[in-house]
Amino acid sequence: MKIAVQRECFDVNAEIGTLCAGRLDVGAVASFIGYARGVNDGSDVSAMTLEHYPGMTEKAIAALADEAAARWPFIDATIVHRIGRLLPGDPIVLVLVASRHRGEAFAACEYIMDALKTRAPFWKKEETPEGERWVEARASDEAAAARWQLPRQKM
Amino acid sequence: MKIAVQRECFDVNAEIGTLCAGRLDVGAVASFIGYARGVNDGSDVSAMTLEHYPGMTEKAIAALADEAAARWPFIDATIVHRIGRLLPGDPIVLVLVASRHRGEAFAACEYIMDALKTRAPFWKKEETPEGERWVEARASDEAAAARWQLPRQKM
Amino acid sequence: MTLRLLYFARLRERFGMGEETLAFAGGSVASLLDLLRARGGVWAEELAPGRSFRVAVNQHLATFDTPLADAAEVAIFPPVTGG
Amino acid sequence: MTLRLLYFARLRERFGMGEETLAFAGGSVASLLDLLRARGGVWAEELAPGRSFRVAVNQHLATFDTPLADAAEVAIFPPVTGG
């Protein structure tokens, strides 16, 4: 399992190549890429800055990836999350899950994203014409994570 | 919507780049890549050949992608399926779905793959130590497609 | 009337042909299947009721009661296994 | 006992600091929150019951009754918004 928090952009082809290298049992790779958008909550967004909690971030991501692996026995996964200042159109997060068959790959990939959105310590600050603002957590993200019936770990 | 049936390999980075080019409203790209495996049903597989029904294939894929677009209003999608002789580890199929938020992208991508597995006219023939054999359709693929409660179109 | 018949994958190999042109008196997919089964041998065997195969008419998946018009393209093939 | 406190994102800005070291008589996360609220101002406001924030103890998400040991690292932050 590869987990990385980095300023640099990721290369999807290269990450898939590393994930599957020498593995002829991989039948499926599901992936997700999240992007910085140019509009959010009705305002133009010219840039955003991602802050995180160094030390906890990697642990939190590893914990939720392990939960996914316990539920859907996939072969391997890669999770890369960027930090720092990003512009609209820039990729923010990459989740790759390799498995024998597609069902496990899709489920684990979506689970990891939903869990990451609610439990990995990242925060976004957006630059808009009205000034800077912290992005508020979405109820829809909590609902998406709750679909999987996570053990309660939040306050 | 890009739909391609081709012998050549696809380039995931390039396909994502084309899909998202100039679009600052894309917040999510879900993708799926299917690979030729070195083992299937307990036999070593040294190669496989994919046959299809030229003319119908593109129509069938367009129809199921349109169904997905009607259910989950995504921004755009790319579906590339290879034909011809492939070796273990070779990518077979790529489905990319770009949307504003991740829920639609995941759902549409998985729907398209499930529908493609049961309704797009492709057939695989495997080369094994025991000789050549046509891959049999899986009951699990029918079950996966039936989850979405497709209109009945099969015999 | 005349139909253009196409066979794919295992059925193409079993029938020993990928396509043929067939004179047809008219009717539905079911009538065509009866005509083909009457050839006996692999035709009767592979197209027997209960065997798993699909029929497309003019490149759309069809059912037994789909009517066949003159010059229709009718494809018969095993359940698909792509992806 | 002594705690290391960390604040992130909006709370870091509101509190005007990213971290501090705090003498603590002992107890749970709830006791610590009471102590911080007693500072008044933005502390009382942002940490008021019903406000939405998270607490992690030694880098694991915690609840109000999580006990705090000496030298614990306690982080307080808004609901996360990554991905």
Side-chain angles (χ1 to χ4, degrees), chain C residues 15-39:
Chain C
F15 295 159
M17 65 176 78
E19 70 175 273
E20 64 175 312
T21 302
L22 185 76
F24 182 57
S28 65
V29 166
S31 328
L32 171 63
L33 291 173
D34 285 339
L35 188 65
L36 294 175
R37 284 182 198 114
R39 292 172 172 180

PDB file of all heavy atoms in Angstrom, chain C residues 15-39:
ATOM      1  N   PHE C  15     -20.634 -23.359 -36.252  1.00  0.00           N
ATOM      2  CA  PHE C  15     -21.418 -23.400 -37.492  1.00  0.00           C
ATOM      3  C   PHE C  15     -20.512 -23.431 -38.722  1.00  0.00           C
ATOM      4  O   PHE C  15     -20.979 -23.677 -39.844  1.00  0.00           O
ATOM      5  CB  PHE C  15     -22.364 -22.195 -37.584  1.00  0.00           C
ATOM      6  CG  PHE C  15     -23.432 -22.162 -36.525  1.00  0.00           C
ATOM      7  CD1 PHE C  15     -24.077 -20.975 -36.183  1.00  0.00           C
ATOM      8  CD2 PHE C  15     -23.817 -23.337 -35.859  1.00  0.00           C
ATOM      9  CE1 PHE C  15     -25.062 -20.950 -35.209  1.00  0.00           C
ATOM     10  CE2 PHE C  15     -24.811 -23.302 -34.873  1.00  0.00           C
ATOM     11  CZ  PHE C  15     -25.425 -22.111 -34.548  1.00  0.00           C
ATOM     12  N   GLY C  16     -19.221 -23.128 -38.519  1.00  0.00           N
ATOM     13  CA  GLY C  16     -18.287 -23.166 -39.643  1.00  0.00           C
ATOM     14  C   GLY C  16     -18.475 -22.020 -40.625  1.00  0.00           C
ATOM     15  O   GLY C  16     -18.051 -22.097 -41.789  1.00  0.00           O
ATOM     16  N   MET C  17     -19.120 -20.945 -40.179  1.00  0.00           N
ATOM     17  CA  MET C  17     -19.268 -19.765 -41.053  1.00  0.00           C
ATOM     18  C   MET C  17     -19.516 -18.518 -40.208  1.00  0.00           C
ATOM     19  O   MET C  17     -20.036 -18.607 -39.108  1.00  0.00           O
ATOM     20  CB  MET C  17     -20.431 -19.950 -42.032  1.00  0.00           C
ATOM     21  CG  MET C  17     -21.789 -20.044 -41.390  1.00  0.00           C
ATOM     22  SD  MET C  17     -23.150 -20.153 -42.595  1.00  0.00           S
ATOM     23  CE  MET C  17     -23.063 -21.865 -43.094  1.00  0.00           C
ATOM     24  N   GLY C  18     -19.110 -17.381 -40.737  1.00  0.00           N
ATOM     25  CA  GLY C  18     -19.289 -16.114 -40.034  1.00  0.00           C
ATOM     26  C   GLY C  18     -20.537 -15.391 -40.503  1.00  0.00           C
ATOM     27  O   GLY C  18     -21.100 -14.582 -39.778  1.00  0.00           O
ATOM     28  N   GLU C  19     -20.943 -15.675 -41.759  1.00  0.00           N
ATOM     29  CA  GLU C  19     -22.169 -15.054 -42.225  1.00  0.00           C
ATOM     30  C   GLU C  19     -22.748 -15.822 -43.404  1.00  0.00           C
ATOM     31  O   GLU C  19     -22.064 -16.609 -44.059  1.00  0.00           O
ATOM     32  CB  GLU C  19     -21.934 -13.590 -42.586  1.00  0.00           C
ATOM     33  CG  GLU C  19     -21.114 -13.327 -43.824  1.00  0.00           C
ATOM     34  CD  GLU C  19     -21.063 -11.819 -44.112  1.00  0.00           C
ATOM     35  OE1 GLU C  19     -21.977 -11.296 -44.790  1.00  0.00           O
ATOM     36  OE2 GLU C  19     -20.116 -11.186 -43.633  1.00  0.00           O
ATOM     37  N   GLU C  20     -24.013 -15.578 -43.628  1.00  0.00           N
ATOM     38  CA  GLU C  20     -24.686 -16.196 -44.775  1.00  0.00           C
ATOM     39  C   GLU C  20     -25.899 -15.349 -45.143  1.00  0.00           C
ATOM     40  O   GLU C  20     -26.364 -14.528 -44.353  1.00  0.00           O
ATOM     41  CB  GLU C  20     -25.120 -17.630 -44.447  1.00  0.00           C
ATOM     42  CG  GLU C  20     -26.163 -17.737 -43.351  1.00  0.00           C
ATOM     43  CD  GLU C  20     -26.665 -19.169 -43.139  1.00  0.00           C
ATOM     44  OE1 GLU C  20     -27.003 -19.830 -44.143  1.00  0.00           O
ATOM     45  OE2 GLU C  20     -26.722 -19.606 -41.971  1.00  0.00           O
ATOM     46  N   THR C  21     -26.374 -15.549 -46.362  1.00  0.00           N
ATOM     47  CA  THR C  21     -27.617 -14.903 -46.791  1.00  0.00           C
ATOM     48  C   THR C  21     -28.675 -15.987 -46.868  1.00  0.00           C
ATOM     49  O   THR C  21     -28.424 -17.080 -47.381  1.00  0.00           O
ATOM     50  CB  THR C  21     -27.423 -14.242 -48.160  1.00  0.00           C
ATOM     51  OG1 THR C  21     -26.360 -13.294 -48.040  1.00  0.00           O
ATOM     52  CG2 THR C  21     -28.675 -13.530 -48.619  1.00  0.00           C
ATOM     53  N   LEU C  22     -29.849 -15.683 -46.298  1.00  0.00           N
ATOM     54  CA  LEU C  22     -30.866 -16.732 -46.181  1.00  0.00           C
ATOM     55  C   LEU C  22     -32.207 -16.235 -46.719  1.00  0.00           C
ATOM     56  O   LEU C  22     -32.651 -15.135 -46.379  1.00  0.00           O
ATOM     57  CB  LEU C  22     -31.028 -17.111 -44.696  1.00  0.00           C
ATOM     58  CG  LEU C  22     -31.959 -18.282 -44.385  1.00  0.00           C
ATOM     59  CD1 LEU C  22     -31.288 -19.602 -44.730  1.00  0.00           C
ATOM     60  CD2 LEU C  22     -32.359 -18.262 -42.908  1.00  0.00           C
ATOM     61  N   ALA C  23     -32.834 -17.072 -47.549  1.00  0.00           N
ATOM     62  CA  ALA C  23     -34.201 -16.776 -47.971  1.00  0.00           C
ATOM     63  C   ALA C  23     -35.127 -17.143 -46.820  1.00  0.00           C
ATOM     64  O   ALA C  23     -34.968 -18.186 -46.191  1.00  0.00           O
ATOM     65  CB  ALA C  23     -34.554 -17.605 -49.208  1.00  0.00           C
ATOM     66  N   PHE C  24     -36.064 -16.234 -46.510  1.00  0.00           N
ATOM     67  CA  PHE C  24     -36.899 -16.403 -45.315  1.00  0.00           C
ATOM     68  C   PHE C  24     -38.327 -16.020 -45.670  1.00  0.00           C
ATOM     69  O   PHE C  24     -38.570 -14.983 -46.297  1.00  0.00           O
ATOM     70  CB  PHE C  24     -36.330 -15.496 -44.213  1.00  0.00           C
ATOM     71  CG  PHE C  24     -37.039 -15.592 -42.894  1.00  0.00           C
ATOM     72  CD1 PHE C  24     -37.158 -16.814 -42.232  1.00  0.00           C
ATOM     73  CD2 PHE C  24     -37.572 -14.451 -42.285  1.00  0.00           C
ATOM     74  CE1 PHE C  24     -37.791 -16.890 -40.996  1.00  0.00           C
ATOM     75  CE2 PHE C  24     -38.213 -14.533 -41.055  1.00  0.00           C
ATOM     76  CZ  PHE C  24     -38.320 -15.748 -40.410  1.00  0.00           C
ATOM     77  N   ALA C  25     -39.267 -16.874 -45.228  1.00  0.00           N
ATOM     78  CA  ALA C  25     -40.672 -16.663 -45.615  1.00  0.00           C
ATOM     79  C   ALA C  25     -41.304 -15.524 -44.826  1.00  0.00           C
ATOM     80  O   ALA C  25     -42.417 -15.094 -45.144  1.00  0.00           O
ATOM     81  CB  ALA C  25     -41.457 -17.958 -45.396  1.00  0.00           C
ATOM     82  N   GLY C  26     -40.613 -15.033 -43.790  1.00  0.00           N
ATOM     83  CA  GLY C  26     -41.195 -13.978 -42.960  1.00  0.00           C
ATOM     84  C   GLY C  26     -41.549 -14.518 -41.594  1.00  0.00           C
ATOM     85  O   GLY C  26     -41.721 -15.720 -41.408  1.00  0.00           O
ATOM     86  N   GLY C  27     -41.618 -13.607 -40.624  1.00  0.00           N
ATOM     87  CA  GLY C  27     -41.960 -14.006 -39.257  1.00  0.00           C
ATOM     88  C   GLY C  27     -41.026 -13.352 -38.259  1.00  0.00           C
ATOM     89  O   GLY C  27     -40.357 -12.384 -38.572  1.00  0.00           O
ATOM     90  N   SER C  28     -40.998 -13.945 -37.081  1.00  0.00           N
ATOM     91  CA  SER C  28     -40.224 -13.364 -35.987  1.00  0.00           C
ATOM     92  C   SER C  28     -38.890 -14.074 -35.836  1.00  0.00           C
ATOM     93  O   SER C  28     -38.575 -15.026 -36.560  1.00  0.00           O
ATOM     94  CB  SER C  28     -41.009 -13.501 -34.687  1.00  0.00           C
ATOM     95  OG  SER C  28     -41.132 -14.889 -34.401  1.00  0.00           O
ATOM     96  N   VAL C  29     -38.118 -13.638 -34.848  1.00  0.00           N
ATOM     97  CA  VAL C  29     -36.868 -14.311 -34.498  1.00  0.00           C
ATOM     98  C   VAL C  29     -37.146 -15.787 -34.208  1.00  0.00           C
ATOM     99  O   VAL C  29     -36.386 -16.665 -34.628  1.00  0.00           O
ATOM    100  CB  VAL C  29     -36.210 -13.612 -33.285  1.00  0.00           C
ATOM    101  CG1 VAL C  29     -35.113 -14.475 -32.691  1.00  0.00           C
ATOM    102  CG2 VAL C  29     -35.672 -12.248 -33.689  1.00  0.00           C
ATOM    103  N   ALA C  30     -38.249 -16.068 -33.529  1.00  0.00           N
ATOM    104  CA  ALA C  30     -38.574 -17.462 -33.194  1.00  0.00           C
ATOM    105  C   ALA C  30     -38.720 -18.310 -34.455  1.00  0.00           C
ATOM    106  O   ALA C  30     -38.232 -19.452 -34.515  1.00  0.00           O
ATOM    107  CB  ALA C  30     -39.853 -17.513 -32.355  1.00  0.00           C
ATOM    108  N   SER C  31     -39.375 -17.764 -35.484  1.00  0.00           N
ATOM    109  CA  SER C  31     -39.540 -18.514 -36.731  1.00  0.00           C
ATOM    110  C   SER C  31     -38.191 -18.782 -37.386  1.00  0.00           C
ATOM    111  O   SER C  31     -37.947 -19.874 -37.928  1.00  0.00           O
ATOM    112  CB  SER C  31     -40.409 -17.747 -37.737  1.00  0.00           C
ATOM    113  OG  SER C  31     -41.368 -16.966 -37.099  1.00  0.00           O
ATOM    114  N   LEU C  32     -37.314 -17.790 -37.368  1.00  0.00           N
ATOM    115  CA  LEU C  32     -35.991 -17.963 -37.959  1.00  0.00           C
ATOM    116  C   LEU C  32     -35.224 -19.064 -37.222  1.00  0.00           C
ATOM    117  O   LEU C  32     -34.566 -19.907 -37.842  1.00  0.00           O
ATOM    118  CB  LEU C  32     -35.211 -16.643 -37.898  1.00  0.00           C
ATOM    119  CG  LEU C  32     -33.723 -16.748 -38.280  1.00  0.00           C
ATOM    120  CD1 LEU C  32     -33.559 -17.179 -39.740  1.00  0.00           C
ATOM    121  CD2 LEU C  32     -33.005 -15.427 -38.022  1.00  0.00           C
ATOM    122  N   LEU C  33     -35.321 -19.041 -35.881  1.00  0.00           N
ATOM    123  CA  LEU C  33     -34.592 -20.053 -35.104  1.00  0.00           C
ATOM    124  C   LEU C  33     -35.117 -21.452 -35.440  1.00  0.00           C
ATOM    125  O   LEU C  33     -34.347 -22.414 -35.568  1.00  0.00           O
ATOM    126  CB  LEU C  33     -34.723 -19.760 -33.609  1.00  0.00           C
ATOM    127  CG  LEU C  33     -33.976 -18.500 -33.146  1.00  0.00           C
ATOM    128  CD1 LEU C  33     -34.307 -18.183 -31.692  1.00  0.00           C
ATOM    129  CD2 LEU C  33     -32.458 -18.652 -33.324  1.00  0.00           C
ATOM    130  N   ASP C  34     -36.442 -21.598 -35.629  1.00  0.00           N
ATOM    131  CA  ASP C  34     -37.012 -22.897 -36.019  1.00  0.00           C
ATOM    132  C   ASP C  34     -36.411 -23.361 -37.346  1.00  0.00           C
ATOM    133  O   ASP C  34     -36.055 -24.525 -37.505  1.00  0.00           O
ATOM    134  CB  ASP C  34     -38.544 -22.784 -36.165  1.00  0.00           C
ATOM    135  CG  ASP C  34     -39.229 -22.713 -34.796  1.00  0.00           C
ATOM    136  OD1 ASP C  34     -38.600 -23.152 -33.802  1.00  0.00           O
ATOM    137  OD2 ASP C  34     -40.366 -22.220 -34.737  1.00  0.00           O
ATOM    138  N   LEU C  35     -36.303 -22.416 -38.278  1.00  0.00           N
ATOM    139  CA  LEU C  35     -35.758 -22.744 -39.596  1.00  0.00           C
ATOM    140  C   LEU C  35     -34.309 -23.226 -39.482  1.00  0.00           C
ATOM    141  O   LEU C  35     -33.916 -24.212 -40.122  1.00  0.00           O
ATOM    142  CB  LEU C  35     -35.831 -21.488 -40.471  1.00  0.00           C
ATOM    143  CG  LEU C  35     -35.494 -21.629 -41.961  1.00  0.00           C
ATOM    144  CD1 LEU C  35     -36.534 -22.517 -42.649  1.00  0.00           C
ATOM    145  CD2 LEU C  35     -35.482 -20.248 -42.625  1.00  0.00           C
ATOM    146  N   LEU C  36     -33.542 -22.552 -38.663  1.00  0.00           N
ATOM    147  CA  LEU C  36     -32.132 -22.928 -38.515  1.00  0.00           C
ATOM    148  C   LEU C  36     -31.995 -24.267 -37.789  1.00  0.00           C
ATOM    149  O   LEU C  36     -31.161 -25.110 -38.161  1.00  0.00           O
ATOM    150  CB  LEU C  36     -31.362 -21.829 -37.767  1.00  0.00           C
ATOM    151  CG  LEU C  36     -31.247 -20.494 -38.510  1.00  0.00           C
ATOM    152  CD1 LEU C  36     -30.575 -19.428 -37.625  1.00  0.00           C
ATOM    153  CD2 LEU C  36     -30.460 -20.646 -39.815  1.00  0.00           C
ATOM    154  N   ARG C  37     -32.808 -24.491 -36.759  1.00  0.00           N
ATOM    155  CA  ARG C  37     -32.752 -25.762 -36.023  1.00  0.00           C
ATOM    156  C   ARG C  37     -33.084 -26.937 -36.938  1.00  0.00           C
ATOM    157  O   ARG C  37     -32.562 -28.040 -36.755  1.00  0.00           O
ATOM    158  CB  ARG C  37     -33.766 -25.758 -34.867  1.00  0.00           C
ATOM    159  CG  ARG C  37     -33.356 -24.942 -33.675  1.00  0.00           C
ATOM    160  CD  ARG C  37     -34.403 -25.051 -32.559  1.00  0.00           C
ATOM    161  NE  ARG C  37     -34.227 -23.949 -31.600  1.00  0.00           N
ATOM    162  CZ  ARG C  37     -35.113 -22.975 -31.400  1.00  0.00           C
ATOM    163  NH1 ARG C  37     -36.262 -22.949 -32.066  1.00  0.00           N
ATOM    164  NH2 ARG C  37     -34.846 -22.030 -30.524  1.00  0.00           N
ATOM    165  N   ALA C  38     -33.931 -26.680 -37.924  1.00  0.00           N
ATOM    166  CA  ALA C  38     -34.346 -27.749 -38.836  1.00  0.00           C
ATOM    167  C   ALA C  38     -33.178 -28.265 -39.678  1.00  0.00           C
ATOM    168  O   ALA C  38     -33.272 -29.318 -40.317  1.00  0.00           O
ATOM    169  CB  ALA C  38     -35.478 -27.259 -39.741  1.00  0.00           C
ATOM    170  N   ARG C  39     -32.057 -27.514 -39.669  1.00  0.00           N
ATOM    171  CA  ARG C  39     -30.870 -28.006 -40.369  1.00  0.00           C
ATOM    172  C   ARG C  39     -30.249 -29.194 -39.635  1.00  0.00           C
ATOM    173  O   ARG C  39     -29.367 -29.864 -40.168  1.00  0.00           O
ATOM    174  CB  ARG C  39     -29.816 -26.891 -40.471  1.00  0.00           C
ATOM    175  CG  ARG C  39     -30.212 -25.757 -41.382  1.00  0.00           C
ATOM    176  CD  ARG C  39     -29.212 -24.605 -41.276  1.00  0.00           C
ATOM    177  NE  ARG C  39     -29.476 -23.582 -42.276  1.00  0.00           N
ATOM    178  CZ  ARG C  39     -28.761 -22.461 -42.405  1.00  0.00           C
ATOM    179  NH1 ARG C  39     -27.722 -22.243 -41.603  1.00  0.00           N
ATOM    180  NH2 ARG C  39     -29.054 -21.595 -43.336  1.00  0.00           N
TER     181      ARG C  39
END
